[in-house]
Amino acid sequence: MDIRRRRPPFSSRPPPSSAAPKASDALPLPLYLTNTIFFTLFFSVAYFLLIRWREKIHNSTPLHVLTFSELAGLVSLIASFIYLLGFFGIDFVQSFVVDSPPRERRRRLDKSVPSKPILRMSQGSVVALNCEEEEELVKDVVSGQIPSYSLEARIGDCYKAAFVRREAVQRLTGKSLEGLPLAGFDYDSILGQCCEMPVGYVQIPVGVVGPLLLNGCEYTVPMATTEGCLVASTNRGCKAIYASGGATCVLLRDAMTRAPVVRFSTAKRASELKFFLEDPLNFDTLAVVFNKSSRFGRLQSIQCSIAGKNLYIRFSCSTGDAMGMNMVSKGVQNVLDYLQTDFPDMDVIGISGNFCSDKKPAAVNWIEGRGKSVVCEAIISEEVVQKVLKTSVSSLVELNMLKNLTGSALAGALGGFNAHASNIVSAIFLATGQDPAQNVESSHCITMMEAVNDGKDLHVSVTMPSIEVGTIGGGTQLASQSACLNLLGVKGANKESPGTNSRLLATIVAGSVLAGELSLMSAISAGQLVKSHMKYNRSSKDVSQIACLE
């Protein structure tokens, strides 16, 4: 029996507290904003009237004689008091009222509610829309009367909002979303953080490879992927590294970047700011201004590039255990505000001018680095190359030179001097809640192979200058991704040494890439690539029959 069928329909779930009518429902503003306005109004006006009446008593002025400002204040005090009384009073009274509609409303419901509930399938479980309120919500979304994005705030139940939105999408498009799961996910955890207007979630299988022996420690690495053979191949690389004594990984640099673009009336004026920013005497002052934005963000360097009268300023800073894009942006904004005093003619065109460069292949990241810059190496013994990898040292060295180096050069590759680094990076990113789009620069990698110890053993290394990872914030907070980070021992922020967890995660990514490169190159060298993919990446199952059974 499918345990997912045990989830009760909406009609059996208690209505959310925010479903109760409140005085702020009539206002076209968010609830927290209206509350703030009326609270502030109530206390500020009360304070104003008390001061004024105290002055009247001191001056022997009759209290009933009101000026226009006092009259307006009195009206504002009464209005805010009525709002606050209505906001808290209605909810308080309704907590004692039996949850049943009034006689007139019940009579209307009896006429309008169909005799049978409206049924929809959701991940194998039947959800009943037997309440007029839920059906009306769907109709209002379909008609455009209620914006789809406002359902969470209006309903107060993220799961129910996702269901209503899902049903509205199906009616609008005439397409079924039956294969997309809905139940079994915590939609509250993504509200305002990860994904807007959800209608379900996508299942990606997670495999594990290892143990990966890296810097004397063993790691079991989770990989989320839909590509067959990838996990098995990377696992074979881990086995070869383990049998040869492990890999060594070194963090070269840790600096996230953001590069705003500013414009002046002349190129001469833009160059003056360039010289000012790159002057070492000014760096300490700018660092103090920048570092005010965060407890963990620390400015490391400023690099400028000029194009006519436009200046691109690349700020680099450490960001603790966070990936740090927002942290850097706040620090950059502080510096720009500070510079506006001495350079009032500076026109800030954008907080990002693509000289950063984020989520795009760029030479600046390949050369200067972005995020974590890492190099990882291992010496694989001749015996392991032959018995585990089923090839020879000389064949691997030759293939690496002709494929990863020469072939990539002929293709005009930018940071792509490797076999398939992005495969491993993407799989670990998805499993641990990283930004998948940052796979672009995080997969910059050059794989080197060389025969050592009189040509008997293989020295293999990967150099990755821009691995962008974090262990707090974004998707790392979700339950599944948090569990994968916990498996690696890098969950959350490191309180004793901020930044340690994210740096360790970057080295694990590089070590896993090393294993993946080693195994794939060996498969190509031995002529096993097609055979292995036919074994692990092709299914002979009758999928249509499986779908019918489900």
Side-chain angles (χ1 to χ4, degrees), residues 237 240-241 244 246-248 375-381 385 389 396-397 400 404 446-452 457-463 513-519 521:
I241 293 173
S244 299
T248 301
V375 60
C376 187
E377 65 179 346
I379 295 179
I380 311 300
S381 66
V385 171
L389 301 177
L396 283 173
V397 172
N400 186 71
N404 289 341
I446 182 168
T447 301
M448 305 289 291
M449 292 186 182
E450 180 184 350
V452 295
D457 302 327
L458 175 72
H459 180 276
V460 56
S461 67
V462 293
T463 305
V513 168
L514 181 70
E517 290 287 280
L518 191 59
S519 183
M521 293 294 288

PDB file of all heavy atoms in Angstrom, residues 237 240-241 244 246-248 375-381 385 389 396-397 400 404 446-452 457-463 513-519 521:
ATOM      1  N   GLY A 237      36.760   5.614  -9.871  1.00  0.00           N
ATOM      2  CA  GLY A 237      37.882   6.529  -9.673  1.00  0.00           C
ATOM      3  C   GLY A 237      38.244   6.677  -8.215  1.00  0.00           C
ATOM      4  O   GLY A 237      39.437   6.729  -7.855  1.00  0.00           O
ATOM      5  N   ALA A 240      40.261   3.663  -7.189  1.00  0.00           N
ATOM      6  CA  ALA A 240      41.655   3.727  -7.641  1.00  0.00           C
ATOM      7  C   ALA A 240      42.478   4.676  -6.777  1.00  0.00           C
ATOM      8  O   ALA A 240      43.628   4.380  -6.436  1.00  0.00           O
ATOM      9  CB  ALA A 240      41.691   4.171  -9.107  1.00  0.00           C
ATOM     10  N   ILE A 241      41.884   5.818  -6.422  1.00  0.00           N
ATOM     11  CA  ILE A 241      42.590   6.782  -5.569  1.00  0.00           C
ATOM     12  C   ILE A 241      42.836   6.194  -4.183  1.00  0.00           C
ATOM     13  O   ILE A 241      43.936   6.328  -3.612  1.00  0.00           O
ATOM     14  CB  ILE A 241      41.774   8.092  -5.473  1.00  0.00           C
ATOM     15  CG1 ILE A 241      41.736   8.793  -6.823  1.00  0.00           C
ATOM     16  CG2 ILE A 241      42.350   9.005  -4.399  1.00  0.00           C
ATOM     17  CD1 ILE A 241      40.814   9.996  -6.870  1.00  0.00           C
ATOM     18  N   SER A 244      45.613   3.684  -4.004  1.00  0.00           N
ATOM     19  CA  SER A 244      46.949   4.260  -4.220  1.00  0.00           C
ATOM     20  C   SER A 244      47.383   5.190  -3.094  1.00  0.00           C
ATOM     21  O   SER A 244      48.386   5.891  -3.209  1.00  0.00           O
ATOM     22  CB  SER A 244      46.970   5.016  -5.557  1.00  0.00           C
ATOM     23  OG  SER A 244      46.704   4.150  -6.643  1.00  0.00           O
ATOM     24  N   GLY A 246      45.370   7.635  -1.557  1.00  0.00           N
ATOM     25  CA  GLY A 246      44.572   8.850  -1.402  1.00  0.00           C
ATOM     26  C   GLY A 246      45.063  10.020  -2.221  1.00  0.00           C
ATOM     27  O   GLY A 246      46.128   9.977  -2.850  1.00  0.00           O
ATOM     28  N   ALA A 247      44.273  11.081  -2.213  1.00  0.00           N
ATOM     29  CA  ALA A 247      44.591  12.309  -2.950  1.00  0.00           C
ATOM     30  C   ALA A 247      44.880  13.434  -1.975  1.00  0.00           C
ATOM     31  O   ALA A 247      44.468  13.401  -0.809  1.00  0.00           O
ATOM     32  CB  ALA A 247      43.432  12.688  -3.866  1.00  0.00           C
ATOM     33  N   THR A 248      45.582  14.441  -2.486  1.00  0.00           N
ATOM     34  CA  THR A 248      45.900  15.632  -1.692  1.00  0.00           C
ATOM     35  C   THR A 248      45.282  16.842  -2.370  1.00  0.00           C
ATOM     36  O   THR A 248      45.396  17.010  -3.583  1.00  0.00           O
ATOM     37  CB  THR A 248      47.421  15.829  -1.576  1.00  0.00           C
ATOM     38  OG1 THR A 248      48.001  14.674  -0.974  1.00  0.00           O
ATOM     39  CG2 THR A 248      47.739  17.044  -0.729  1.00  0.00           C
ATOM     40  N   VAL A 375      43.484  23.045  -6.128  1.00  0.00           N
ATOM     41  CA  VAL A 375      44.239  22.082  -6.931  1.00  0.00           C
ATOM     42  C   VAL A 375      44.272  20.757  -6.171  1.00  0.00           C
ATOM     43  O   VAL A 375      44.464  20.736  -4.954  1.00  0.00           O
ATOM     44  CB  VAL A 375      45.676  22.583  -7.231  1.00  0.00           C
ATOM     45  CG1 VAL A 375      46.472  22.818  -5.949  1.00  0.00           C
ATOM     46  CG2 VAL A 375      46.405  21.603  -8.142  1.00  0.00           C
ATOM     47  N   CYS A 376      44.009  19.681  -6.873  1.00  0.00           N
ATOM     48  CA  CYS A 376      43.942  18.351  -6.254  1.00  0.00           C
ATOM     49  C   CYS A 376      44.781  17.383  -7.068  1.00  0.00           C
ATOM     50  O   CYS A 376      44.724  17.385  -8.310  1.00  0.00           O
ATOM     51  CB  CYS A 376      42.487  17.876  -6.200  1.00  0.00           C
ATOM     52  SG  CYS A 376      42.234  16.335  -5.292  1.00  0.00           S
ATOM     53  N   GLU A 377      45.552  16.538  -6.397  1.00  0.00           N
ATOM     54  CA  GLU A 377      46.457  15.621  -7.089  1.00  0.00           C
ATOM     55  C   GLU A 377      46.501  14.263  -6.417  1.00  0.00           C
ATOM     56  O   GLU A 377      46.135  14.105  -5.244  1.00  0.00           O
ATOM     57  CB  GLU A 377      47.871  16.203  -7.128  1.00  0.00           C
ATOM     58  CG  GLU A 377      48.503  16.333  -5.749  1.00  0.00           C
ATOM     59  CD  GLU A 377      49.912  16.881  -5.768  1.00  0.00           C
ATOM     60  OE1 GLU A 377      50.510  16.913  -6.876  1.00  0.00           O
ATOM     61  OE2 GLU A 377      50.431  17.259  -4.703  1.00  0.00           O
ATOM     62  N   ALA A 378      46.953  13.274  -7.184  1.00  0.00           N
ATOM     63  CA  ALA A 378      47.147  11.918  -6.653  1.00  0.00           C
ATOM     64  C   ALA A 378      48.140  11.194  -7.546  1.00  0.00           C
ATOM     65  O   ALA A 378      48.284  11.512  -8.737  1.00  0.00           O
ATOM     66  CB  ALA A 378      45.825  11.157  -6.615  1.00  0.00           C
ATOM     67  N   ILE A 379      48.843  10.248  -6.960  1.00  0.00           N
ATOM     68  CA  ILE A 379      49.735   9.369  -7.720  1.00  0.00           C
ATOM     69  C   ILE A 379      49.117   7.982  -7.718  1.00  0.00           C
ATOM     70  O   ILE A 379      48.946   7.363  -6.660  1.00  0.00           O
ATOM     71  CB  ILE A 379      51.152   9.345  -7.111  1.00  0.00           C
ATOM     72  CG1 ILE A 379      51.803  10.731  -7.226  1.00  0.00           C
ATOM     73  CG2 ILE A 379      52.009   8.303  -7.826  1.00  0.00           C
ATOM     74  CD1 ILE A 379      53.195  10.810  -6.627  1.00  0.00           C
ATOM     75  N   ILE A 380      48.760   7.509  -8.895  1.00  0.00           N
ATOM     76  CA  ILE A 380      48.112   6.207  -9.044  1.00  0.00           C
ATOM     77  C   ILE A 380      49.169   5.193  -9.475  1.00  0.00           C
ATOM     78  O   ILE A 380      49.851   5.384 -10.495  1.00  0.00           O
ATOM     79  CB  ILE A 380      46.983   6.262 -10.087  1.00  0.00           C
ATOM     80  CG1 ILE A 380      46.056   7.462  -9.800  1.00  0.00           C
ATOM     81  CG2 ILE A 380      46.196   4.967 -10.094  1.00  0.00           C
ATOM     82  CD1 ILE A 380      45.389   7.445  -8.455  1.00  0.00           C
ATOM     83  N   SER A 381      49.324   4.160  -8.687  1.00  0.00           N
ATOM     84  CA  SER A 381      50.362   3.160  -8.968  1.00  0.00           C
ATOM     85  C   SER A 381      50.062   2.400 -10.261  1.00  0.00           C
ATOM     86  O   SER A 381      48.909   2.302 -10.698  1.00  0.00           O
ATOM     87  CB  SER A 381      50.484   2.182  -7.802  1.00  0.00           C
ATOM     88  OG  SER A 381      49.301   1.410  -7.677  1.00  0.00           O
ATOM     89  N   VAL A 385      46.434   1.125 -11.954  1.00  0.00           N
ATOM     90  CA  VAL A 385      46.049   1.531 -13.308  1.00  0.00           C
ATOM     91  C   VAL A 385      45.667   0.313 -14.142  1.00  0.00           C
ATOM     92  O   VAL A 385      44.688   0.317 -14.887  1.00  0.00           O
ATOM     93  CB  VAL A 385      47.189   2.322 -13.981  1.00  0.00           C
ATOM     94  CG1 VAL A 385      46.880   2.545 -15.465  1.00  0.00           C
ATOM     95  CG2 VAL A 385      47.397   3.664 -13.284  1.00  0.00           C
ATOM     96  N   LEU A 389      41.700   0.257 -13.279  1.00  0.00           N
ATOM     97  CA  LEU A 389      41.308   1.119 -14.392  1.00  0.00           C
ATOM     98  C   LEU A 389      41.403   0.422 -15.741  1.00  0.00           C
ATOM     99  O   LEU A 389      40.938   0.967 -16.761  1.00  0.00           O
ATOM    100  CB  LEU A 389      42.170   2.390 -14.389  1.00  0.00           C
ATOM    101  CG  LEU A 389      42.087   3.235 -13.098  1.00  0.00           C
ATOM    102  CD1 LEU A 389      43.034   4.427 -13.169  1.00  0.00           C
ATOM    103  CD2 LEU A 389      40.658   3.698 -12.839  1.00  0.00           C
ATOM    104  N   LEU A 396      47.107   6.619 -20.888  1.00  0.00           N
ATOM    105  CA  LEU A 396      46.398   7.720 -20.240  1.00  0.00           C
ATOM    106  C   LEU A 396      47.091   9.049 -20.489  1.00  0.00           C
ATOM    107  O   LEU A 396      46.440  10.064 -20.764  1.00  0.00           O
ATOM    108  CB  LEU A 396      46.280   7.460 -18.735  1.00  0.00           C
ATOM    109  CG  LEU A 396      45.215   6.453 -18.298  1.00  0.00           C
ATOM    110  CD1 LEU A 396      45.335   6.168 -16.811  1.00  0.00           C
ATOM    111  CD2 LEU A 396      43.824   6.976 -18.620  1.00  0.00           C
ATOM    112  N   VAL A 397      48.414   9.068 -20.393  1.00  0.00           N
ATOM    113  CA  VAL A 397      49.167  10.306 -20.597  1.00  0.00           C
ATOM    114  C   VAL A 397      48.973  10.816 -22.027  1.00  0.00           C
ATOM    115  O   VAL A 397      48.743  12.004 -22.265  1.00  0.00           O
ATOM    116  CB  VAL A 397      50.658  10.087 -20.288  1.00  0.00           C
ATOM    117  CG1 VAL A 397      51.476  11.323 -20.685  1.00  0.00           C
ATOM    118  CG2 VAL A 397      50.856   9.786 -18.808  1.00  0.00           C
ATOM    119  N   ASN A 400      45.337  12.079 -22.579  1.00  0.00           N
ATOM    120  CA  ASN A 400      45.095  13.360 -21.915  1.00  0.00           C
ATOM    121  C   ASN A 400      45.681  14.514 -22.717  1.00  0.00           C
ATOM    122  O   ASN A 400      45.050  15.570 -22.860  1.00  0.00           O
ATOM    123  CB  ASN A 400      45.694  13.344 -20.509  1.00  0.00           C
ATOM    124  CG  ASN A 400      45.339  14.602 -19.720  1.00  0.00           C
ATOM    125  OD1 ASN A 400      44.206  14.804 -19.307  1.00  0.00           O
ATOM    126  ND2 ASN A 400      46.333  15.475 -19.528  1.00  0.00           N
ATOM    127  N   ASN A 404      42.293  16.261 -23.766  1.00  0.00           N
ATOM    128  CA  ASN A 404      42.004  17.347 -22.834  1.00  0.00           C
ATOM    129  C   ASN A 404      42.790  18.624 -23.122  1.00  0.00           C
ATOM    130  O   ASN A 404      42.306  19.726 -22.821  1.00  0.00           O
ATOM    131  CB  ASN A 404      42.278  16.898 -21.398  1.00  0.00           C
ATOM    132  CG  ASN A 404      41.264  15.884 -20.903  1.00  0.00           C
ATOM    133  OD1 ASN A 404      40.173  15.765 -21.462  1.00  0.00           O
ATOM    134  ND2 ASN A 404      41.628  15.139 -19.874  1.00  0.00           N
ATOM    135  N   ILE A 446      41.420  22.197 -15.525  1.00  0.00           N
ATOM    136  CA  ILE A 446      42.439  21.649 -16.414  1.00  0.00           C
ATOM    137  C   ILE A 446      42.978  20.367 -15.778  1.00  0.00           C
ATOM    138  O   ILE A 446      43.399  20.368 -14.617  1.00  0.00           O
ATOM    139  CB  ILE A 446      43.579  22.648 -16.702  1.00  0.00           C
ATOM    140  CG1 ILE A 446      44.586  22.026 -17.680  1.00  0.00           C
ATOM    141  CG2 ILE A 446      44.252  23.141 -15.434  1.00  0.00           C
ATOM    142  CD1 ILE A 446      45.582  23.016 -18.236  1.00  0.00           C
ATOM    143  N   THR A 447      42.872  19.276 -16.503  1.00  0.00           N
ATOM    144  CA  THR A 447      43.314  17.967 -16.026  1.00  0.00           C
ATOM    145  C   THR A 447      44.703  17.669 -16.599  1.00  0.00           C
ATOM    146  O   THR A 447      44.897  17.735 -17.820  1.00  0.00           O
ATOM    147  CB  THR A 447      42.331  16.867 -16.452  1.00  0.00           C
ATOM    148  OG1 THR A 447      41.039  17.173 -15.913  1.00  0.00           O
ATOM    149  CG2 THR A 447      42.780  15.509 -15.944  1.00  0.00           C
ATOM    150  N   MET A 448      45.624  17.348 -15.721  1.00  0.00           N
ATOM    151  CA  MET A 448      47.005  17.046 -16.134  1.00  0.00           C
ATOM    152  C   MET A 448      47.341  15.602 -15.759  1.00  0.00           C
ATOM    153  O   MET A 448      46.970  15.148 -14.670  1.00  0.00           O
ATOM    154  CB  MET A 448      47.992  17.995 -15.464  1.00  0.00           C
ATOM    155  CG  MET A 448      47.697  19.475 -15.688  1.00  0.00           C
ATOM    156  SD  MET A 448      48.018  19.997 -17.374  1.00  0.00           S
ATOM    157  CE  MET A 448      49.805  19.881 -17.423  1.00  0.00           C
ATOM    158  N   MET A 449      48.037  14.907 -16.645  1.00  0.00           N
ATOM    159  CA  MET A 449      48.498  13.539 -16.379  1.00  0.00           C
ATOM    160  C   MET A 449      49.940  13.408 -16.836  1.00  0.00           C
ATOM    161  O   MET A 449      50.297  13.861 -17.936  1.00  0.00           O
ATOM    162  CB  MET A 449      47.620  12.512 -17.087  1.00  0.00           C
ATOM    163  CG  MET A 449      46.202  12.403 -16.557  1.00  0.00           C
ATOM    164  SD  MET A 449      45.255  11.067 -17.307  1.00  0.00           S
ATOM    165  CE  MET A 449      43.668  11.274 -16.496  1.00  0.00           C
ATOM    166  N   GLU A 450      50.740  12.778 -15.989  1.00  0.00           N
ATOM    167  CA  GLU A 450      52.169  12.648 -16.272  1.00  0.00           C
ATOM    168  C   GLU A 450      52.695  11.354 -15.672  1.00  0.00           C
ATOM    169  O   GLU A 450      52.305  10.972 -14.555  1.00  0.00           O
ATOM    170  CB  GLU A 450      52.914  13.851 -15.687  1.00  0.00           C
ATOM    171  CG  GLU A 450      54.406  13.840 -15.908  1.00  0.00           C
ATOM    172  CD  GLU A 450      55.095  15.007 -15.230  1.00  0.00           C
ATOM    173  OE1 GLU A 450      54.395  15.930 -14.750  1.00  0.00           O
ATOM    174  OE2 GLU A 450      56.346  14.993 -15.147  1.00  0.00           O
ATOM    175  N   ALA A 451      53.566  10.692 -16.425  1.00  0.00           N
ATOM    176  CA  ALA A 451      54.198   9.465 -15.920  1.00  0.00           C
ATOM    177  C   ALA A 451      55.328   9.844 -14.963  1.00  0.00           C
ATOM    178  O   ALA A 451      56.152  10.710 -15.273  1.00  0.00           O
ATOM    179  CB  ALA A 451      54.741   8.639 -17.077  1.00  0.00           C
ATOM    180  N   VAL A 452      55.361   9.223 -13.789  1.00  0.00           N
ATOM    181  CA  VAL A 452      56.394   9.477 -12.781  1.00  0.00           C
ATOM    182  C   VAL A 452      57.000   8.150 -12.322  1.00  0.00           C
ATOM    183  O   VAL A 452      56.512   7.069 -12.693  1.00  0.00           O
ATOM    184  CB  VAL A 452      55.808  10.247 -11.576  1.00  0.00           C
ATOM    185  CG1 VAL A 452      55.346  11.643 -11.998  1.00  0.00           C
ATOM    186  CG2 VAL A 452      54.650   9.483 -10.944  1.00  0.00           C
ATOM    187  N   ASP A 457      54.368   4.892 -12.621  1.00  0.00           N
ATOM    188  CA  ASP A 457      53.145   5.378 -11.969  1.00  0.00           C
ATOM    189  C   ASP A 457      52.601   6.610 -12.685  1.00  0.00           C
ATOM    190  O   ASP A 457      53.280   7.244 -13.501  1.00  0.00           O
ATOM    191  CB  ASP A 457      53.424   5.698 -10.500  1.00  0.00           C
ATOM    192  CG  ASP A 457      53.947   4.495  -9.731  1.00  0.00           C
ATOM    193  OD1 ASP A 457      53.528   3.367 -10.065  1.00  0.00           O
ATOM    194  OD2 ASP A 457      54.770   4.677  -8.815  1.00  0.00           O
ATOM    195  N   LEU A 458      51.357   6.958 -12.342  1.00  0.00           N
ATOM    196  CA  LEU A 458      50.675   8.077 -12.982  1.00  0.00           C
ATOM    197  C   LEU A 458      50.432   9.205 -11.983  1.00  0.00           C
ATOM    198  O   LEU A 458      49.817   8.990 -10.929  1.00  0.00           O
ATOM    199  CB  LEU A 458      49.330   7.610 -13.559  1.00  0.00           C
ATOM    200  CG  LEU A 458      48.446   8.702 -14.171  1.00  0.00           C
ATOM    201  CD1 LEU A 458      49.026   9.176 -15.498  1.00  0.00           C
ATOM    202  CD2 LEU A 458      47.011   8.196 -14.358  1.00  0.00           C
ATOM    203  N   HIS A 459      50.904  10.401 -12.321  1.00  0.00           N
ATOM    204  CA  HIS A 459      50.558  11.585 -11.531  1.00  0.00           C
ATOM    205  C   HIS A 459      49.402  12.286 -12.239  1.00  0.00           C
ATOM    206  O   HIS A 459      49.509  12.668 -13.404  1.00  0.00           O
ATOM    207  CB  HIS A 459      51.746  12.537 -11.409  1.00  0.00           C
ATOM    208  CG  HIS A 459      51.433  13.777 -10.612  1.00  0.00           C
ATOM    209  ND1 HIS A 459      50.837  14.897 -11.159  1.00  0.00           N
ATOM    210  CD2 HIS A 459      51.609  14.058  -9.286  1.00  0.00           C
ATOM    211  CE1 HIS A 459      50.670  15.810 -10.226  1.00  0.00           C
ATOM    212  NE2 HIS A 459      51.140  15.329  -9.073  1.00  0.00           N
ATOM    213  N   VAL A 460      48.282  12.438 -11.562  1.00  0.00           N
ATOM    214  CA  VAL A 460      47.103  13.070 -12.142  1.00  0.00           C
ATOM    215  C   VAL A 460      46.659  14.218 -11.240  1.00  0.00           C
ATOM    216  O   VAL A 460      46.707  14.111 -10.000  1.00  0.00           O
ATOM    217  CB  VAL A 460      45.950  12.049 -12.327  1.00  0.00           C
ATOM    218  CG1 VAL A 460      45.610  11.369 -11.013  1.00  0.00           C
ATOM    219  CG2 VAL A 460      44.714  12.708 -12.921  1.00  0.00           C
ATOM    220  N   SER A 461      46.246  15.307 -11.843  1.00  0.00           N
ATOM    221  CA  SER A 461      45.811  16.467 -11.051  1.00  0.00           C
ATOM    222  C   SER A 461      44.703  17.212 -11.782  1.00  0.00           C
ATOM    223  O   SER A 461      44.585  17.141 -13.020  1.00  0.00           O
ATOM    224  CB  SER A 461      46.979  17.432 -10.799  1.00  0.00           C
ATOM    225  OG  SER A 461      47.398  18.039 -12.007  1.00  0.00           O
ATOM    226  N   VAL A 462      43.874  17.903 -10.999  1.00  0.00           N
ATOM    227  CA  VAL A 462      42.871  18.817 -11.544  1.00  0.00           C
ATOM    228  C   VAL A 462      43.054  20.163 -10.860  1.00  0.00           C
ATOM    229  O   VAL A 462      43.212  20.235  -9.642  1.00  0.00           O
ATOM    230  CB  VAL A 462      41.426  18.299 -11.343  1.00  0.00           C
ATOM    231  CG1 VAL A 462      41.191  17.055 -12.175  1.00  0.00           C
ATOM    232  CG2 VAL A 462      41.127  18.032  -9.877  1.00  0.00           C
ATOM    233  N   THR A 463      43.045  21.221 -11.633  1.00  0.00           N
ATOM    234  CA  THR A 463      43.153  22.576 -11.105  1.00  0.00           C
ATOM    235  C   THR A 463      41.862  23.297 -11.437  1.00  0.00           C
ATOM    236  O   THR A 463      41.499  23.435 -12.612  1.00  0.00           O
ATOM    237  CB  THR A 463      44.353  23.318 -11.714  1.00  0.00           C
ATOM    238  OG1 THR A 463      45.543  22.544 -11.505  1.00  0.00           O
ATOM    239  CG2 THR A 463      44.517  24.680 -11.071  1.00  0.00           C
ATOM    240  N   VAL A 513      35.921  15.309  -8.715  1.00  0.00           N
ATOM    241  CA  VAL A 513      36.215  15.560 -10.127  1.00  0.00           C
ATOM    242  C   VAL A 513      37.457  14.781 -10.546  1.00  0.00           C
ATOM    243  O   VAL A 513      37.500  14.199 -11.647  1.00  0.00           O
ATOM    244  CB  VAL A 513      36.407  17.072 -10.386  1.00  0.00           C
ATOM    245  CG1 VAL A 513      36.992  17.318 -11.781  1.00  0.00           C
ATOM    246  CG2 VAL A 513      35.088  17.807 -10.232  1.00  0.00           C
ATOM    247  N   LEU A 514      38.458  14.749  -9.678  1.00  0.00           N
ATOM    248  CA  LEU A 514      39.670  13.970  -9.968  1.00  0.00           C
ATOM    249  C   LEU A 514      39.335  12.501 -10.194  1.00  0.00           C
ATOM    250  O   LEU A 514      39.829  11.870 -11.147  1.00  0.00           O
ATOM    251  CB  LEU A 514      40.664  14.117  -8.808  1.00  0.00           C
ATOM    252  CG  LEU A 514      41.999  13.391  -8.969  1.00  0.00           C
ATOM    253  CD1 LEU A 514      42.848  14.062 -10.044  1.00  0.00           C
ATOM    254  CD2 LEU A 514      42.763  13.350  -7.648  1.00  0.00           C
ATOM    255  N   ALA A 515      38.467  11.956  -9.349  1.00  0.00           N
ATOM    256  CA  ALA A 515      38.057  10.559  -9.496  1.00  0.00           C
ATOM    257  C   ALA A 515      37.291  10.347 -10.798  1.00  0.00           C
ATOM    258  O   ALA A 515      37.507   9.358 -11.511  1.00  0.00           O
ATOM    259  CB  ALA A 515      37.194  10.145  -8.299  1.00  0.00           C
ATOM    260  N   GLY A 516      36.389  11.282 -11.117  1.00  0.00           N
ATOM    261  CA  GLY A 516      35.616  11.168 -12.340  1.00  0.00           C
ATOM    262  C   GLY A 516      36.473  11.268 -13.588  1.00  0.00           C
ATOM    263  O   GLY A 516      36.277  10.528 -14.563  1.00  0.00           O
ATOM    264  N   GLU A 517      37.430  12.184 -13.584  1.00  0.00           N
ATOM    265  CA  GLU A 517      38.335  12.336 -14.726  1.00  0.00           C
ATOM    266  C   GLU A 517      39.171  11.075 -14.933  1.00  0.00           C
ATOM    267  O   GLU A 517      39.350  10.595 -16.054  1.00  0.00           O
ATOM    268  CB  GLU A 517      39.257  13.533 -14.487  1.00  0.00           C
ATOM    269  CG  GLU A 517      38.585  14.873 -14.537  1.00  0.00           C
ATOM    270  CD  GLU A 517      38.204  15.270 -15.954  1.00  0.00           C
ATOM    271  OE1 GLU A 517      39.072  15.732 -16.713  1.00  0.00           O
ATOM    272  OE2 GLU A 517      37.020  15.090 -16.306  1.00  0.00           O
ATOM    273  N   LEU A 518      39.676  10.544 -13.843  1.00  0.00           N
ATOM    274  CA  LEU A 518      40.531   9.356 -13.898  1.00  0.00           C
ATOM    275  C   LEU A 518      39.782   8.167 -14.484  1.00  0.00           C
ATOM    276  O   LEU A 518      40.289   7.447 -15.354  1.00  0.00           O
ATOM    277  CB  LEU A 518      41.027   9.040 -12.483  1.00  0.00           C
ATOM    278  CG  LEU A 518      42.128   7.997 -12.328  1.00  0.00           C
ATOM    279  CD1 LEU A 518      43.378   8.399 -13.096  1.00  0.00           C
ATOM    280  CD2 LEU A 518      42.447   7.818 -10.844  1.00  0.00           C
ATOM    281  N   SER A 519      38.545   7.970 -14.059  1.00  0.00           N
ATOM    282  CA  SER A 519      37.781   6.812 -14.511  1.00  0.00           C
ATOM    283  C   SER A 519      37.323   6.954 -15.966  1.00  0.00           C
ATOM    284  O   SER A 519      37.431   6.010 -16.758  1.00  0.00           O
ATOM    285  CB  SER A 519      36.567   6.605 -13.605  1.00  0.00           C
ATOM    286  OG  SER A 519      35.847   5.461 -13.982  1.00  0.00           O
ATOM    287  N   MET A 521      38.617   8.843 -18.396  1.00  0.00           N
ATOM    288  CA  MET A 521      39.771   8.772 -19.291  1.00  0.00           C
ATOM    289  C   MET A 521      40.253   7.334 -19.454  1.00  0.00           C
ATOM    290  O   MET A 521      40.642   6.908 -20.550  1.00  0.00           O
ATOM    291  CB  MET A 521      40.892   9.659 -18.762  1.00  0.00           C
ATOM    292  CG  MET A 521      40.584  11.144 -18.801  1.00  0.00           C
ATOM    293  SD  MET A 521      40.443  11.768 -20.486  1.00  0.00           S
ATOM    294  CE  MET A 521      42.161  11.731 -20.984  1.00  0.00           C
TER     295      MET A 521
END
